[in-house]
mmCIF file of all heavy atoms in Angstrom:
data_model
loop_
_atom_site.group_PDB
_atom_site.id
_atom_site.type_symbol
_atom_site.label_atom_id
_atom_site.label_comp_id
_atom_site.label_asym_id
_atom_site.label_seq_id
_atom_site.Cartn_x
_atom_site.Cartn_y
_atom_site.Cartn_z
ATOM 1 N N LEU Y 98 1.442 -6.100 -9.310
ATOM 2 C CA LEU Y 98 1.597 -7.478 -8.858
ATOM 3 C C LEU Y 98 0.339 -8.196 -8.742
ATOM 4 O O LEU Y 98 0.156 -9.340 -9.182
ATOM 5 C CB LEU Y 98 2.252 -7.536 -7.511
ATOM 6 C CG LEU Y 98 3.787 -7.143 -7.489
ATOM 7 C CD1 LEU Y 98 4.367 -7.123 -6.035
ATOM 8 C CD2 LEU Y 98 4.603 -8.019 -8.437
ATOM 9 N N VAL Y 99 -0.760 -7.461 -8.343
ATOM 10 C CA VAL Y 99 -2.031 -8.056 -8.243
ATOM 11 C C VAL Y 99 -2.686 -8.314 -9.614
ATOM 12 O O VAL Y 99 -3.273 -9.244 -9.973
ATOM 13 C CB VAL Y 99 -2.980 -7.210 -7.368
ATOM 14 C CG1 VAL Y 99 -4.452 -7.707 -7.518
ATOM 15 C CG2 VAL Y 99 -2.545 -7.373 -5.949
ATOM 16 N N ALA Y 100 -2.420 -7.399 -10.590
ATOM 17 C CA ALA Y 100 -2.819 -7.434 -11.961
ATOM 18 C C ALA Y 100 -2.208 -8.675 -12.657
ATOM 19 O O ALA Y 100 -2.919 -9.442 -13.372
ATOM 20 C CB ALA Y 100 -2.598 -6.166 -12.751
ATOM 21 N N VAL Y 101 -0.919 -8.818 -12.419
ATOM 22 C CA VAL Y 101 -0.246 -10.048 -12.983
ATOM 23 C C VAL Y 101 -0.777 -11.229 -12.520
ATOM 24 O O VAL Y 101 -0.960 -12.249 -13.186
ATOM 25 C CB VAL Y 101 1.236 -9.933 -12.743
ATOM 26 C CG1 VAL Y 101 1.942 -11.268 -13.080
ATOM 27 C CG2 VAL Y 101 1.836 -8.743 -13.577
ATOM 28 N N GLU Y 102 -1.179 -11.256 -11.157
ATOM 29 C CA GLU Y 102 -1.739 -12.504 -10.626
ATOM 30 C C GLU Y 102 -3.084 -12.869 -11.163
ATOM 31 O O GLU Y 102 -3.413 -13.958 -11.517
ATOM 32 C CB GLU Y 102 -1.797 -12.332 -9.085
ATOM 33 C CG GLU Y 102 -2.459 -13.513 -8.396
ATOM 34 C CD GLU Y 102 -2.602 -13.288 -6.895
ATOM 35 O OE1 GLU Y 102 -2.127 -12.299 -6.436
ATOM 36 O OE2 GLU Y 102 -3.134 -14.142 -6.266
ATOM 37 N N GLU Y 103 -3.924 -11.718 -11.376
ATOM 38 C CA GLU Y 103 -5.200 -11.954 -11.910
ATOM 39 C C GLU Y 103 -5.209 -12.363 -13.411
ATOM 40 O O GLU Y 103 -6.071 -13.218 -13.881
ATOM 41 C CB GLU Y 103 -6.023 -10.623 -11.778
ATOM 42 C CG GLU Y 103 -6.394 -10.286 -10.396
ATOM 43 C CD GLU Y 103 -7.306 -11.267 -9.711
ATOM 44 O OE1 GLU Y 103 -8.145 -11.928 -10.431
ATOM 45 O OE2 GLU Y 103 -7.127 -11.559 -8.470
ATOM 46 N N LEU Y 104 -4.241 -11.768 -14.143
ATOM 47 C CA LEU Y 104 -4.204 -12.136 -15.588
ATOM 48 C C LEU Y 104 -3.588 -13.473 -15.888
ATOM 49 O O LEU Y 104 -3.980 -14.237 -16.769
ATOM 50 C CB LEU Y 104 -3.401 -11.039 -16.342
ATOM 51 C CG LEU Y 104 -4.036 -9.714 -16.368
ATOM 52 C CD1 LEU Y 104 -3.108 -8.759 -17.065
ATOM 53 C CD2 LEU Y 104 -5.330 -9.776 -17.241
ATOM 54 N N THR Y 105 -2.609 -13.949 -15.074
ATOM 55 C CA THR Y 105 -1.884 -15.245 -15.393
ATOM 56 C C THR Y 105 -2.157 -16.341 -14.427
ATOM 57 O O THR Y 105 -1.723 -17.437 -14.664
ATOM 58 C CB THR Y 105 -0.353 -14.924 -15.346
ATOM 59 O OG1 THR Y 105 0.036 -14.556 -14.058
ATOM 60 C CG2 THR Y 105 0.022 -13.821 -16.343
ATOM 61 N N ASN Y 106 -2.906 -16.114 -13.445
ATOM 62 C CA ASN Y 106 -3.237 -16.975 -12.377
ATOM 63 C C ASN Y 106 -1.994 -17.552 -11.696
ATOM 64 O O ASN Y 106 -1.930 -18.704 -11.179
ATOM 65 C CB ASN Y 106 -4.081 -18.226 -12.860
ATOM 66 C CG ASN Y 106 -5.456 -17.800 -13.255
ATOM 67 O OD1 ASN Y 106 -6.035 -16.907 -12.619
ATOM 68 N ND2 ASN Y 106 -6.007 -18.424 -14.255
ATOM 69 N N LEU Y 107 -0.968 -16.760 -11.771
ATOM 70 C CA LEU Y 107 0.326 -17.017 -11.106
ATOM 71 C C LEU Y 107 0.470 -16.164 -9.858
ATOM 72 O O LEU Y 107 0.449 -14.974 -9.954
ATOM 73 C CB LEU Y 107 1.516 -16.811 -12.083
ATOM 74 C CG LEU Y 107 2.909 -16.947 -11.531
ATOM 75 C CD1 LEU Y 107 3.221 -18.472 -11.219
ATOM 76 C CD2 LEU Y 107 3.946 -16.427 -12.485
ATOM 77 N N ALA Y 108 0.474 -16.841 -8.675
ATOM 78 C CA ALA Y 108 0.420 -16.044 -7.424
ATOM 79 C C ALA Y 108 1.867 -15.527 -7.102
ATOM 80 O O ALA Y 108 2.722 -16.254 -6.610
ATOM 81 C CB ALA Y 108 0.008 -16.995 -6.271
ATOM 82 N N ILE Y 109 2.050 -14.259 -7.533
ATOM 83 C CA ILE Y 109 3.308 -13.618 -7.241
ATOM 84 C C ILE Y 109 3.276 -13.129 -5.817
ATOM 85 O O ILE Y 109 4.265 -13.316 -5.021
ATOM 86 C CB ILE Y 109 3.616 -12.456 -8.055
ATOM 87 C CG1 ILE Y 109 3.691 -12.965 -9.526
ATOM 88 C CG2 ILE Y 109 4.791 -11.607 -7.703
ATOM 89 C CD1 ILE Y 109 3.814 -11.937 -10.574
ATOM 90 N N VAL Y 110 2.262 -12.568 -5.310
ATOM 91 C CA VAL Y 110 2.114 -12.076 -3.916
ATOM 92 C C VAL Y 110 0.901 -12.764 -3.335
ATOM 93 O O VAL Y 110 -0.131 -13.058 -4.069
ATOM 94 C CB VAL Y 110 1.949 -10.598 -3.771
ATOM 95 C CG1 VAL Y 110 3.140 -9.843 -4.231
ATOM 96 C CG2 VAL Y 110 0.762 -10.133 -4.612
ATOM 97 N N THR Y 111 0.941 -13.107 -2.069
ATOM 98 C CA THR Y 111 -0.137 -13.717 -1.413
ATOM 99 C C THR Y 111 -1.165 -12.586 -1.119
ATOM 100 O O THR Y 111 -0.884 -11.416 -1.096
ATOM 101 C CB THR Y 111 0.163 -14.480 -0.138
ATOM 102 O OG1 THR Y 111 0.814 -13.542 0.769
ATOM 103 C CG2 THR Y 111 1.244 -15.526 -0.463
ATOM 104 N N GLU Y 112 -2.409 -12.970 -0.687
ATOM 105 C CA GLU Y 112 -3.408 -12.033 -0.261
ATOM 106 C C GLU Y 112 -3.005 -11.296 0.939
ATOM 107 O O GLU Y 112 -3.357 -10.083 1.085
ATOM 108 C CB GLU Y 112 -4.751 -12.729 -0.130
ATOM 109 C CG GLU Y 112 -5.917 -11.831 -0.009
ATOM 110 C CD GLU Y 112 -7.249 -12.557 0.034
ATOM 111 O OE1 GLU Y 112 -7.283 -13.673 -0.522
ATOM 112 O OE2 GLU Y 112 -8.132 -12.073 0.640
ATOM 113 N N GLU Y 113 -2.395 -11.947 1.872
ATOM 114 C CA GLU Y 113 -1.951 -11.245 3.159
ATOM 115 C C GLU Y 113 -0.918 -10.170 2.816
ATOM 116 O O GLU Y 113 -0.986 -9.136 3.442
ATOM 117 C CB GLU Y 113 -1.358 -12.304 4.096
ATOM 118 C CG GLU Y 113 -2.406 -13.305 4.637
ATOM 119 C CD GLU Y 113 -2.728 -14.446 3.708
ATOM 120 O OE1 GLU Y 113 -1.891 -14.727 2.750
ATOM 121 O OE2 GLU Y 113 -3.757 -15.057 3.878
ATOM 122 N N ILE Y 114 -0.020 -10.432 1.854
ATOM 123 C CA ILE Y 114 1.031 -9.492 1.576
ATOM 124 C C ILE Y 114 0.375 -8.245 0.836
ATOM 125 O O ILE Y 114 0.659 -7.077 1.175
ATOM 126 C CB ILE Y 114 2.088 -10.037 0.691
ATOM 127 C CG1 ILE Y 114 2.920 -11.026 1.574
ATOM 128 C CG2 ILE Y 114 3.060 -8.927 0.188
ATOM 129 C CD1 ILE Y 114 4.015 -11.772 0.801
ATOM 130 N N ALA Y 115 -0.660 -8.490 -0.031
ATOM 131 C CA ALA Y 115 -1.292 -7.450 -0.674
ATOM 132 C C ALA Y 115 -2.071 -6.583 0.314
ATOM 133 O O ALA Y 115 -2.061 -5.295 0.216
ATOM 134 C CB ALA Y 115 -2.312 -7.983 -1.724
ATOM 135 N N ARG Y 116 -2.716 -7.218 1.312
ATOM 136 C CA ARG Y 116 -3.465 -6.425 2.304
ATOM 137 C C ARG Y 116 -2.411 -5.689 3.206
ATOM 138 O O ARG Y 116 -2.705 -4.531 3.586
ATOM 139 C CB ARG Y 116 -4.188 -7.364 3.240
ATOM 140 C CG ARG Y 116 -5.415 -7.852 2.593
ATOM 141 C CD ARG Y 116 -6.189 -8.896 3.489
ATOM 142 N NE ARG Y 116 -7.346 -9.469 2.721
ATOM 143 C CZ ARG Y 116 -8.030 -10.429 3.228
ATOM 144 N NH1 ARG Y 116 -7.711 -10.962 4.422
ATOM 145 N NH2 ARG Y 116 -8.994 -10.868 2.511
ATOM 146 N N THR Y 117 -1.263 -6.135 3.484
ATOM 147 C CA THR Y 117 -0.211 -5.488 4.251
ATOM 148 C C THR Y 117 0.327 -4.245 3.439
ATOM 149 O O THR Y 117 0.408 -3.198 3.961
ATOM 150 C CB THR Y 117 0.847 -6.360 4.588
ATOM 151 O OG1 THR Y 117 0.397 -7.528 5.283
ATOM 152 C CG2 THR Y 117 1.927 -5.679 5.490
ATOM 153 N N PHE Y 118 0.425 -4.417 2.153
ATOM 154 C CA PHE Y 118 0.837 -3.247 1.321
ATOM 155 C C PHE Y 118 -0.192 -2.155 1.386
ATOM 156 O O PHE Y 118 0.155 -0.987 1.447
ATOM 157 C CB PHE Y 118 0.978 -3.713 -0.210
ATOM 158 C CG PHE Y 118 2.433 -4.029 -0.491
ATOM 159 C CD1 PHE Y 118 2.862 -5.213 -0.828
ATOM 160 C CD2 PHE Y 118 3.407 -2.954 -0.648
ATOM 161 C CE1 PHE Y 118 4.186 -5.536 -1.189
ATOM 162 C CE2 PHE Y 118 4.619 -3.240 -0.934
ATOM 163 C CZ PHE Y 118 5.099 -4.482 -1.169
ATOM 164 N N ILE Y 119 -1.454 -2.501 1.309
ATOM 165 C CA ILE Y 119 -2.550 -1.499 1.365
ATOM 166 C C ILE Y 119 -2.453 -0.766 2.709
ATOM 167 O O ILE Y 119 -2.594 0.480 2.766
ATOM 168 C CB ILE Y 119 -3.907 -2.145 1.152
ATOM 169 C CG1 ILE Y 119 -3.968 -2.655 -0.338
ATOM 170 C CG2 ILE Y 119 -4.970 -1.168 1.462
ATOM 171 C CD1 ILE Y 119 -5.201 -3.411 -0.668
ATOM 172 N N PHE Y 120 -2.233 -1.477 3.762
ATOM 173 C CA PHE Y 120 -2.116 -0.879 5.043
ATOM 174 C C PHE Y 120 -0.786 0.084 5.196
ATOM 175 O O PHE Y 120 -0.937 1.224 5.660
ATOM 176 C CB PHE Y 120 -1.915 -1.930 6.179
ATOM 177 C CG PHE Y 120 -1.916 -1.463 7.564
ATOM 178 C CD1 PHE Y 120 -2.918 -0.813 8.213
ATOM 179 C CD2 PHE Y 120 -0.705 -1.583 8.312
ATOM 180 C CE1 PHE Y 120 -2.856 -0.262 9.465
ATOM 181 C CE2 PHE Y 120 -0.622 -1.107 9.589
ATOM 182 C CZ PHE Y 120 -1.693 -0.449 10.157
ATOM 183 N N VAL Y 121 0.202 -0.341 4.522
ATOM 184 C CA VAL Y 121 1.427 0.499 4.504
ATOM 185 C C VAL Y 121 1.124 1.834 3.662
ATOM 186 O O VAL Y 121 1.625 2.860 4.032
ATOM 187 C CB VAL Y 121 2.645 -0.327 3.943
ATOM 188 C CG1 VAL Y 121 3.753 0.596 3.577
ATOM 189 C CG2 VAL Y 121 3.036 -1.406 4.875
ATOM 190 N N ILE Y 122 0.377 1.661 2.625
ATOM 191 C CA ILE Y 122 0.130 2.827 1.764
ATOM 192 C C ILE Y 122 -0.705 3.826 2.534
ATOM 193 O O ILE Y 122 -0.547 5.016 2.468
ATOM 194 C CB ILE Y 122 -0.643 2.381 0.476
ATOM 195 C CG1 ILE Y 122 0.435 1.650 -0.437
ATOM 196 C CG2 ILE Y 122 -1.210 3.571 -0.297
ATOM 197 C CD1 ILE Y 122 -0.220 0.933 -1.553
ATOM 198 N N VAL Y 123 -1.697 3.293 3.329
ATOM 199 C CA VAL Y 123 -2.548 4.120 4.175
ATOM 200 C C VAL Y 123 -1.755 4.907 5.191
ATOM 201 O O VAL Y 123 -1.933 6.082 5.443
ATOM 202 C CB VAL Y 123 -3.691 3.428 4.765
ATOM 203 C CG1 VAL Y 123 -4.393 4.172 5.784
ATOM 204 C CG2 VAL Y 123 -4.654 2.877 3.697
ATOM 205 N N ILE Y 124 -0.794 4.165 5.829
ATOM 206 C CA ILE Y 124 0.091 4.822 6.813
ATOM 207 C C ILE Y 124 0.906 5.784 6.113
ATOM 208 O O ILE Y 124 1.076 6.954 6.677
ATOM 209 C CB ILE Y 124 0.941 3.686 7.525
ATOM 210 C CG1 ILE Y 124 0.084 2.917 8.433
ATOM 211 C CG2 ILE Y 124 2.081 4.338 8.267
ATOM 212 C CD1 ILE Y 124 0.845 1.677 9.030
ATOM 213 N N GLY Y 125 1.444 5.579 4.911
ATOM 214 C CA GLY Y 125 2.257 6.569 4.306
ATOM 215 C C GLY Y 125 1.454 7.831 3.894
ATOM 216 O O GLY Y 125 2.013 8.959 4.054
ATOM 217 N N LEU Y 126 0.283 7.605 3.436
ATOM 218 C CA LEU Y 126 -0.608 8.788 3.124
ATOM 219 C C LEU Y 126 -0.862 9.635 4.288
ATOM 220 O O LEU Y 126 -0.872 10.896 4.271
ATOM 221 C CB LEU Y 126 -1.798 8.337 2.472
ATOM 222 C CG LEU Y 126 -1.647 7.897 0.970
ATOM 223 C CD1 LEU Y 126 -2.973 7.336 0.402
ATOM 224 C CD2 LEU Y 126 -1.113 8.944 0.050
ATOM 225 N N SER Y 127 -1.243 8.962 5.378
ATOM 226 C CA SER Y 127 -1.443 9.797 6.606
ATOM 227 C C SER Y 127 -0.226 10.530 7.173
ATOM 228 O O SER Y 127 -0.290 11.607 7.647
ATOM 229 C CB SER Y 127 -2.096 8.846 7.780
ATOM 230 O OG SER Y 127 -1.112 7.790 8.026
ATOM 231 N N GLU Y 128 0.931 9.903 6.992
ATOM 232 C CA GLU Y 128 2.167 10.511 7.391
ATOM 233 C C GLU Y 128 2.359 11.774 6.484
ATOM 234 O O GLU Y 128 2.795 12.850 7.045
ATOM 235 C CB GLU Y 128 3.347 9.650 7.217
ATOM 236 C CG GLU Y 128 4.713 10.299 7.539
ATOM 237 C CD GLU Y 128 5.838 9.466 7.017
ATOM 238 O OE1 GLU Y 128 5.678 8.589 6.159
ATOM 239 O OE2 GLU Y 128 7.002 9.799 7.510
ATOM 240 N N ILE Y 129 2.123 11.752 5.265
ATOM 241 C CA ILE Y 129 2.387 12.811 4.352
ATOM 242 C C ILE Y 129 1.390 13.976 4.660
ATOM 243 O O ILE Y 129 1.842 15.097 4.668
ATOM 244 C CB ILE Y 129 2.271 12.336 2.861
ATOM 245 C CG1 ILE Y 129 3.450 11.443 2.558
ATOM 246 C CG2 ILE Y 129 2.224 13.584 1.965
ATOM 247 C CD1 ILE Y 129 3.366 10.824 1.257
ATOM 248 N N VAL Y 130 0.167 13.586 4.962
ATOM 249 C CA VAL Y 130 -0.813 14.656 5.305
ATOM 250 C C VAL Y 130 -0.362 15.395 6.579
ATOM 251 O O VAL Y 130 -0.351 16.651 6.581
ATOM 252 C CB VAL Y 130 -2.266 14.089 5.475
ATOM 253 C CG1 VAL Y 130 -3.168 15.144 6.121
ATOM 254 C CG2 VAL Y 130 -2.752 13.588 4.088
ATOM 255 N N LEU Y 131 -0.014 14.712 7.596
ATOM 256 C CA LEU Y 131 0.471 15.268 8.813
ATOM 257 C C LEU Y 131 1.692 16.127 8.641
ATOM 258 O O LEU Y 131 1.837 17.194 9.151
ATOM 259 C CB LEU Y 131 0.715 14.145 9.837
ATOM 260 C CG LEU Y 131 1.147 14.636 11.199
ATOM 261 C CD1 LEU Y 131 0.061 15.407 11.916
ATOM 262 C CD2 LEU Y 131 1.546 13.467 12.134
ATOM 263 N N LEU Y 132 2.715 15.549 7.886
ATOM 264 C CA LEU Y 132 3.914 16.257 7.794
ATOM 265 C C LEU Y 132 3.708 17.518 6.859
ATOM 266 O O LEU Y 132 4.320 18.547 7.057
ATOM 267 C CB LEU Y 132 4.953 15.424 7.029
ATOM 268 C CG LEU Y 132 5.732 14.359 7.973
ATOM 269 C CD1 LEU Y 132 6.647 13.527 7.180
ATOM 270 C CD2 LEU Y 132 6.494 15.148 9.067
ATOM 271 N N SER Y 133 2.779 17.484 5.900
ATOM 272 C CA SER Y 133 2.480 18.536 5.126
ATOM 273 C C SER Y 133 1.901 19.733 5.860
ATOM 274 O O SER Y 133 2.379 20.936 5.603
ATOM 275 C CB SER Y 133 1.484 18.252 3.930
ATOM 276 O OG SER Y 133 2.157 17.240 3.111
ATOM 277 N N VAL Y 134 1.014 19.389 6.752
ATOM 278 C CA VAL Y 134 0.413 20.546 7.650
ATOM 279 C C VAL Y 134 1.493 21.082 8.507
ATOM 280 O O VAL Y 134 1.697 22.380 8.645
ATOM 281 C CB VAL Y 134 -0.696 19.925 8.505
ATOM 282 C CG1 VAL Y 134 -1.150 20.935 9.598
ATOM 283 C CG2 VAL Y 134 -1.916 19.592 7.623
ATOM 284 N N ILE Y 135 2.420 20.246 9.141
ATOM 285 C CA ILE Y 135 3.418 20.707 10.006
ATOM 286 C C ILE Y 135 4.397 21.552 9.170
ATOM 287 O O ILE Y 135 4.931 22.647 9.598
ATOM 288 C CB ILE Y 135 4.088 19.578 10.719
ATOM 289 C CG1 ILE Y 135 3.153 18.876 11.697
ATOM 290 C CG2 ILE Y 135 5.347 20.035 11.389
ATOM 291 C CD1 ILE Y 135 3.664 17.599 12.273
ATOM 292 N N PHE Y 136 4.769 21.065 7.970
ATOM 293 C CA PHE Y 136 5.730 21.705 7.163
ATOM 294 C C PHE Y 136 5.194 23.111 6.755
ATOM 295 O O PHE Y 136 6.016 24.070 6.741
ATOM 296 C CB PHE Y 136 6.044 20.918 5.872
ATOM 297 C CG PHE Y 136 7.039 21.533 4.991
ATOM 298 C CD1 PHE Y 136 8.476 21.261 5.237
ATOM 299 C CD2 PHE Y 136 6.685 22.363 4.014
ATOM 300 C CE1 PHE Y 136 9.350 21.870 4.456
ATOM 301 C CE2 PHE Y 136 7.636 22.973 3.200
ATOM 302 C CZ PHE Y 136 8.942 22.780 3.422
ATOM 303 N N SER Y 137 3.947 23.192 6.320
ATOM 304 C CA SER Y 137 3.528 24.465 5.846
ATOM 305 C C SER Y 137 3.458 25.508 6.895
ATOM 306 O O SER Y 137 3.850 26.666 6.677
ATOM 307 C CB SER Y 137 2.114 24.360 5.155
ATOM 308 O OG SER Y 137 1.269 23.876 6.133
ATOM 309 N N ILE Y 138 3.076 25.086 8.113
ATOM 310 C CA ILE Y 138 3.139 26.079 9.272
ATOM 311 C C ILE Y 138 4.482 26.429 9.552
ATOM 312 O O ILE Y 138 4.755 27.658 9.769
ATOM 313 C CB ILE Y 138 2.346 25.417 10.453
ATOM 314 C CG1 ILE Y 138 0.865 25.272 10.130
ATOM 315 C CG2 ILE Y 138 2.510 26.275 11.756
ATOM 316 C CD1 ILE Y 138 0.079 24.398 11.180
#
């Protein structure tokens, strides 16, 4: 979505939504790391 916006100058997502997606991705990765440790034990 960000690449399409940069290439076409068509704002599909706002900057705030893109920042929120990055925050959601970080939360997801931290959840997976925590669950992986718990799961393996």
Side-chain angles (χ1 to χ4, degrees):
L98 291 177
V99 169
V101 167
E102 179 182 356
E103 292 295 326
L104 291 175
T105 63
N106 291 330
L107 176 67
I109 296 175
V110 295
T111 62
E112 189 174 333
E113 291 82 20
I114 292 176
R116 288 182 184 167
T117 305
F118 262 112
I119 292 172
F120 183 67
V121 168
I122 291 167
V123 169
I124 289 173
L126 287 175
S127 60
E128 176 197 15
I129 291 170
V130 168
L131 180 65
L132 282 177
S133 298
V134 170
I135 293 169
F136 182 87
S137 63
I138 293 169

